[in-house]
Amino acid sequence: MVVSLRLSFLTSLFVSPATTSITYLSRRSIAIIRRRHHQCFLQQPLRTALFAAQSTAAETEDRVDSSKNRVQDQAITPRSQDFNAWYLDVIAHAELADYGPVRGTMVIRPYGYAIWEAIQEYLNVKFKETGHSNMYFPQFIPYSFIEKEASHVEGFSPELALVTFGGGKELEEKLVVRPTSETIVNHMFTQWIHSYRDLPLMVNQWANVTRWEMRTKPFVRTLEFLWQEGHTAHATPEEAEKEAIQMIEIYTKFAYEQAAIPVIAGRKSKVETFAGATRTYTIEAMMGDRKALQAGTSHNLGQNFSRAFGTQFTDESGQRQHVWQTSWAISTRFVGGIIMSHGDDAGLMLPPKVAPLQVIVVPIWKKDNERIGVLNAATSVKDVLQAAGIKVKLDDSDQRTPGWKFNFWEMKGVPLRIEIGPRDVSSGSVVISRRDVPGKQGKVFGVSMEPSILEVYVKDKLDEIQTSLLGKATSFRDSHIVDVSSYDELKSAISQGKWARGPWSASDEDELKVKEETGATIRCFPFEQPQGSKRCLMTGNLAAEVAIFAKSY
Amino acid sequence: MVVSLRLSFLTSLFVSPATTSITYLSRRSIAIIRRRHHQCFLQQPLRTALFAAQSTAAETEDRVDSSKNRVQDQAITPRSQDFNAWYLDVIAHAELADYGPVRGTMVIRPYGYAIWEAIQEYLNVKFKETGHSNMYFPQFIPYSFIEKEASHVEGFSPELALVTFGGGKELEEKLVVRPTSETIVNHMFTQWIHSYRDLPLMVNQWANVTRWEMRTKPFVRTLEFLWQEGHTAHATPEEAEKEAIQMIEIYTKFAYEQAAIPVIAGRKSKVETFAGATRTYTIEAMMGDRKALQAGTSHNLGQNFSRAFGTQFTDESGQRQHVWQTSWAISTRFVGGIIMSHGDDAGLMLPPKVAPLQVIVVPIWKKDNERIGVLNAATSVKDVLQAAGIKVKLDDSDQRTPGWKFNFWEMKGVPLRIEIGPRDVSSGSVVISRRDVPGKQGKVFGVSMEPSILEVYVKDKLDEIQTSLLGKATSFRDSHIVDVSSYDELKSAISQGKWARGPWSASDEDELKVKEETGATIRCFPFEQPQGSKRCLMTGNLAAEVAIFAKSY
């Protein structure tokens, strides 16, 4: 009988039940195949190899399944060993995403998409609370639009996908598949904005965007990705600035309170500012490998686009003025940030507030006469928690041992596990294990099954985990940021894989030199600045602010 | 001082304060400009004309505004006079959508998008309740995929948009911008489905799709539109059939209970079946002009795609089998269906359950000393209803008279209006007007402001309106369906603009002949069938079922 592991065939294929070292070698070959697969999927020989491999998956799975108690997570490359391989393994094993047939595209699978949905649900409410309306702009943009704003076309033209045929005919003007929507937004705004009474105009859209990236990585950088893009127009520069700041603050709050990621919010350097913006604000997150991830941005566009498109309004004194604008976005990249912030060698670790599943209930029985009692108790525990609004699942499958299930749901990052065996049924209690505290330390025995007690206990525990993940990530972040006062110190910090924070007032050229020589870029000038006068680490001149330098995704 | 109407400039431009007949002529010219605009936007002379027109909008608006009590809805072509012009007017005036810069594309504005959000919220819950998970497939599909299923490529190849350049280079294989996702879904399913344990696999995505349509109309048929597409794979044909039926039933329930549209659910004829499906189920709605709108479809795909893509599983006895599949979709077209089902000469009329705004509160005062009392009362009424979960807005602007506001919010289709004047404040009561019952008949005086009473009253009224709209639409539908037993009767019914229902067992050729000669197509063989033996209206042979013929969008 064939037993499916429900794992990506690519990975399950190479899982050998033999020894750990062989498994590890196999995992590396997968990573290599994957990378090549990713970059040149359409080459025929590789496709054939992949499909041929697939047809033997069934047998291999049989072998894997024969050792029913195999520890699932051995299949995942240890994070400490190879962070990138670990990341790709987690994505495959936890069924977060898969590669699409076109190079660089990604299929977001239900478990990964549910994390994105948690992000959407939170932000969508916040956007509406702050006066933004959702709407939808077409994704096809006339090529001429992109050319209107000089730095915008410079920034985006190398990454464009172009539609040149439609309905069987070659098009007169080629169309850009939106890489971002500032141009088409302004085209429409010129038709909707007439007087100061039409301002502020504050809209948002949830949409897909396309950027022809050469080096892609699931969630972090894909040819097509999902995001929200907010676009606003205001009567004054002060209002636009306030809006840009408000939105980066909403993102910051989301990162801390929902995703348990202690991002550092700040302003981008001129070199790193969005193509077409006057100022870009960013939240920068430290991943488990200490690389920085730009996790969300909010742009003060000034009048750059309104001048290029003629987006004007008549002010209270009857004068025609160009509007002041902002745009801001968070994308499916954030899902990658969550994976890389909290995961460990056992796999994914999800903050309760963004977890598709918060609690997994695993029933345990040995004898057949125990089965019904245990399953009934487990079902009622699940029902109680579900009714309390907790995202809970009962894994009652007969196919797997409890040990296998423990490992599987740990790998999937479920924050809490409830175990129920025959003895628990008799005593009316359950065993509760935390995903974030391994072994016995994270296990509590004898928690009452009584609904009101259990519900409160589980909710408290989930809050505790949420807080604990943020605390852990904050310590990790802080222990890897080094204050530097010279370029040598900066180079040393970066070469140790850390973030360097130091006073900076040097030129764009100096900034580019740092990038070339160390691989690090200015991630931001943080909003939180140390007091007192400072001297630029590069030039020794006075510096108003410290900047954070780091290697980044 | 310039006063903006916040209306689409194209329409507000031509609103003449003079006489109704001139207004009407102007509306026709707009419609013509629009249609041409729509088809050849990028021709320079027209664009110039449009932008030139725009620059004078401010003056025109001033003139309009000078007659402050002008009845807003005179600007809308009467529905009875020209249904299409009425439809376009409603979309522009109620700010539901606007034309995008690329021919046939549409910008969905916040008020229109909020209707789509109501559709999403309801269906998304139902999909999850019935075991479907959301996910996301890339929109770029290798051209070779489309060619794999013979009837699919035949159906879709004339409508494809093709990406031929990416990242500055010509692509080796051109990419299709998804017109629908069966092909890429199957490509991925082959990697996820191994054994019967992986089935059923039931997923859904909310996404944009592109079909290069030649004749477009906002919401009803646009080059790019938004939809959800469900895709499922099953182990048996019975399960797939059950799923296809379940989903058309969910759509039917949504149409009746949320959108107040009494659709007729049934099976498509072979001629009208989806390109690649074995059976297509549909819900057909009768619009205000008695044309049919296909408002949602659910396809039993049989093994057509699984055979083309090799989507196989190992069944319980160890045999390899092709999966049985379904797909089903509802799109932003449904928003067009809501507009065309319920609207009247005054504009939009929205069923409370899909209305972005359910209640508009209009304060009325003449003397300055009345103002504060009235506004306070109006605000507290708004707060009470908002706290009760009702979608309510207080229109407290000083720019417009109450009369103007009445007409404006009627035009926007808000189901209930609450009026509060100084006398109401003294008596602690409000006046409530129904959008669906014009004049005094729809007006109730002296409804108590007492929170608990008002809340119950408003909720009851909204329910009553919801029921009433469905009832009205059902009577309208039923009075325009004619039972026919011969081709002559069918022709006569169709020529009167009605739907013809009659027994049908004739050939595909006969069906195409009817289309050619009358313009009507078989909309469906309804699930609800009359008892007794029947003879085909065309051939006189025995017919198992009646079919419904109608002209359609």
Side-chain angles (χ1 to χ4, degrees), chain B residues 170-221:
Chain B
E170 186 156 10
L171 304 179
E172 279 179 38
E173 181 177 12
K174 51 188 186 284
L175 305 177
V176 171
V177 185
R178 73 177 150 231
T180 181
S181 301
E182 280 77 8
T183 58
I184 193 168
V185 164
N186 267 274
H187 174 77
M188 299 311 300
F189 275 14
T190 59
Q191 299 174 40
W192 302 331
I193 297 172
H194 306 293
S195 100
Y196 67 94
R197 285 209 183 74
D198 301 320
L199 300 175
L201 182 49
M202 312 207 291
V203 298
N204 175 63
Q205 76 174 353
W206 294 94
N208 56 342
V209 271
T210 299
R211 296 180 186 175
W212 212 268
E213 302 277 2
M214 282 303 115
R215 294 175 58 197
T216 59
K217 190 185 179 81
F219 290 113
V220 172
R221 184 174 282 108

Side-chain angles (χ1 to χ4, degrees), chain B residues 1 25 29 40 76 80 82 100 140 170 176 215 224 286 306 329 449 454 505 512:
Chain B
M1 199 172 67
L25 282 173
S29 11
C40 42
I76 291 177
S80 47
D82 182 340
F140 292 156
E170 186 156 10
V176 171
R215 294 175 58 197
E224 179 193 6
M286 185 185 283
S306 64
M449 269 185 211
L454 185 65
S505 62
L512 291 169

Side-chain angles (χ1 to χ4, degrees), chain B residues 50 60 98 104 115 120 133 166 188 227 243 357 401 428:
Chain B
L50 287 165
T60 317
D98 214 333
I115 300 173
Q120 289 187 299
S133 302
M188 299 311 300
W227 77 351
E243 166 78 3
L357 264 184
T401 64

Side-chain angles (χ1 to χ4, degrees), chain A residues 430-486:
Chain A
V430 299
V431 179
I432 298 193
S433 292
R434 283 172 65 155
R435 169 65 178 89
D436 64 323
V437 183
K440 286 202 173 155
Q441 261 196 303
K443 215 159 183 158
V444 177
F445 294 84
V447 178
S448 169
M449 268 187 213
E450 209 278 298
S452 60
I453 299 176
L454 185 65
E455 179 188 330
V456 171
Y457 187 91
V458 166
K459 284 187 171 170
D460 282 353
K461 253 324 160 222
L462 290 173
D463 286 345
E464 214 175 303
I465 296 172
Q466 183 78 30
T467 308
S468 167
L469 287 187
L470 178 62
K472 215 187 295 180
T474 307
S475 312
F476 181 80
R477 180 196 72 180
D478 292 342
S479 64
H480 293 103
I481 301 181
V482 182
D483 282 306
V484 297
S485 53
S486 70

Side-chain angles (χ1 to χ4, degrees), chain B residues 414-473:
Chain B
V414 180
L416 271 189
R417 177 177 72 234
I418 295 184
E419 308 159 19
I420 303 178
R423 267 193 301 175
D424 301 306
V425 174
S426 345
S427 66
S429 67
V430 299
V431 180
I432 299 194
S433 291
R434 282 171 64 155
R435 170 64 179 88
D436 64 324
V437 183
K440 285 203 172 155
Q441 262 197 303
K443 215 158 184 159
V444 177
F445 295 85
V447 179
S448 168
M449 269 185 211
E450 210 278 296
S452 61
I453 298 176
L454 185 65
E455 178 188 331
V456 171
Y457 187 92
V458 166
K459 284 187 171 171
D460 282 353
K461 255 325 161 224
L462 290 173
D463 286 346
E464 215 177 301
I465 295 172
Q466 183 79 29
T467 308
S468 167
L469 287 186
L470 177 62
K472 215 185 295 179

Side-chain angles (χ1 to χ4, degrees), chain B residues 6-309:
Chain B
R6 273 191 166 266
L7 291 179
S8 164
F9 75 88
L10 262 176
T11 53
S12 58
L13 242 185
F14 289 88
V15 173
S16 153
T19 70
T20 313
S21 66
I22 289 180
T23 304
Y24 172 58
L25 282 173
S26 301
R27 311 268 353 114
R28 286 201 40 170
S29 11
I30 298 165
I32 291 162
I33 287 179
R34 267 213 198 104
R35 251 170 266 136
R36 292 174 58 197
H37 171 47
H38 207 180
Q39 276 158 22
C40 42
F41 182 89
L42 295 170
Q43 289 182 3
Q44 205 47 49
L46 251 175
R47 284 185 65 186
T48 314
L50 287 165
F51 281 107
Q54 188 187 1
S55 69
T56 67
E59 308 155 33
T60 317
E61 280 167 0
D62 256 348
R63 275 198 299 151
V64 172
D65 190 63
S66 64
S67 58
K68 266 211 172 179
N69 253 326
R70 265 198 83 259
V71 181
Q72 176 77 26
D73 61 4
Q74 283 183 358
I76 291 177
T77 309
R79 206 179 90 139
S80 47
Q81 212 160 44
D82 182 340
F83 192 83
N84 186 55
W86 168 85
Y87 178 72
L88 297 177
D89 283 351
V90 167
I91 285 173
H93 283 239
E95 300 183 333
L96 296 166
D98 214 333
Y99 297 110
V102 174
R103 180 202 67 83
T105 63
M106 168 179 66
V107 180
I108 308 181
R109 302 186 68 180
Y111 200 66
Y113 197 84
I115 300 173
W116 178 237
E117 285 181 308
I119 295 172
Q120 289 187 299
E121 275 162 30
Y122 175 92
L123 289 178
N124 204 40
V125 169
K126 295 293 167 198
F127 296 161
K128 290 188 178 180
E129 280 174 5
T130 45
H132 306 90
S133 302
N134 284 335
M135 63 177 303
Y136 188 75
F137 293 90
Q139 76 164 342
F140 292 156
I141 301 175
Y143 191 80
S144 56
F145 281 25
I146 303 289
E147 292 174 313
K148 286 195 185 182
E149 209 286 333
S151 61
H152 195 66
V153 64
E154 194 190 321
F156 281 103
S157 63
E159 295 182 359
L160 300 177
L162 300 179
V163 172
T164 58
F165 280 84
K169 285 190 188 144
E170 186 156 10
L171 304 179
E172 279 179 38
E173 181 177 12
K174 51 188 186 284
L175 305 177
V176 171
V177 185
R178 73 177 150 231
T180 181
S181 301
E182 280 77 8
T183 58
I184 193 168
V185 164
N186 267 274
H187 174 77
M188 299 311 300
F189 275 14
T190 59
Q191 299 174 40
W192 302 331
I193 297 172
H194 306 293
S195 100
Y196 67 94
R197 285 209 183 74
D198 301 320
L199 300 175
L201 182 49
M202 312 207 291
V203 298
N204 175 63
Q205 76 174 353
W206 294 94
N208 56 342
V209 271
T210 299
R211 296 180 186 175
W212 212 268
E213 302 277 2
M214 282 303 115
R215 294 175 58 197
T216 59
K217 190 185 179 81
F219 290 113
V220 172
R221 184 174 282 108
T222 49
L223 199 140
E224 179 193 6
F225 56 96
L226 303 182
W227 77 351
Q228 59 66 217
E229 48 178 326
H231 295 274
T232 69
H234 307 265
T236 66
E238 294 76 21
E239 269 183 62
E241 177 65 12
K242 202 175 148 195
E243 166 78 3
I245 294 282
Q246 169 182 260
M247 300 323 290
I248 203 71
E249 281 172 355
I250 285 177
Y251 292 158
T252 307
K253 203 170 143 74
F254 166 74
Y256 274 81
E257 295 179 8
Q258 303 291 310
I261 300 181
V263 294
I264 292 184
R267 196 186 74 253
K268 285 282 182 195
S269 68
K270 213 174 77 200
V271 169
E272 300 283 335
T273 291
F274 173 74
T278 299
R279 257 191 305 287
T280 289
Y281 299 110
T282 180
I283 50 173
E284 299 286 324
M286 185 185 283
M287 301 294 96
D289 62 353
R290 295 166 299 176
K291 279 168 85 172
L293 185 82
Q294 178 180 303
T297 48
S298 177
H299 313 295
N300 183 334
L301 303 173
Q303 294 179 317
N304 296 335
F305 287 93
S306 64
R307 286 185 184 278
F309 283 81

